[in-house]
Amino acid sequence: MAVPEITASELKQRLDQGQPLVLVDVREPLEWSIADLGEYAPVRMPTGEFADRMDELDPDDNIVVYCRSGSRSAWAVGMLQAQGFDKVFNLQGGILAWKDQVDPSLRSY
């Protein structure tokens, strides 16, 4: 099954429009201190905890999952799809794409 994706620019536009989105950050705690989208109140579920915690998410929500570059979040989106989530998207290129397309002040790592 293909992983649905959203670009950083599209995500920013939807956030600016006030669309109800749940952002899920599957990066590790150390990564949060380097570059973060905390102003959007992401749900923090490190990859190692994701399988055990994904029941905390609501399948009725529009969910965008992100990591550093998009690989871990694509895996997480696939896990959610397997559980019947159909309004879930991977942030294409991850937080690195957010830095490139939306907020160049974020630190690279």
Side-chain angles (χ1 to χ4, degrees):
M1 180 181 297
V3 173
E5 293 191 314
I6 186 170
T7 68
S9 298
E10 290 169 333
L11 175 57
K12 176 69 165 123
Q13 183 178 24
R14 289 184 186 192
L15 290 166
D16 288 348
Q17 291 171 350
Q19 291 186 17
L21 297 168
V22 175
L23 300 186
V24 179
D25 185 347
V26 296
R27 299 175 305 142
E28 298 302 316
L30 174 64
E31 294 175 279
W32 305 335
S33 65
I34 298 170
D36 195 30
L37 301 182
E39 67 268 30
Y40 299 108
V43 176
R44 300 184 192 281
M45 277 187 202
T47 306
E49 300 173 10
F50 190 81
D52 292 331
R53 294 185 54 203
M54 58 192 236
D55 63 341
E56 296 173 26
L57 300 171
D58 186 341
D60 292 330
D61 288 337
N62 291 300
I63 299 171
V64 178
V65 186
Y66 68 94
C67 63
R68 179 179 176 266
S69 63
S71 297
R72 289 174 283 176
S73 51
W75 168 83
V77 166
M79 294 276 292
L80 290 170
Q81 287 180 306
Q83 294 300 312
F85 285 72
D86 61 0
K87 295 188 290 187
V88 60
F89 301 90
N90 182 40
L91 177 58
Q92 185 180 61
I95 206 162
L96 293 177
W98 184 271
K99 176 184 172 35
D100 289 344
Q101 298 173 27
V102 178
D103 184 359
S105 73
L106 284 180
R107 288 174 50 199
S108 292
Y109 70 101

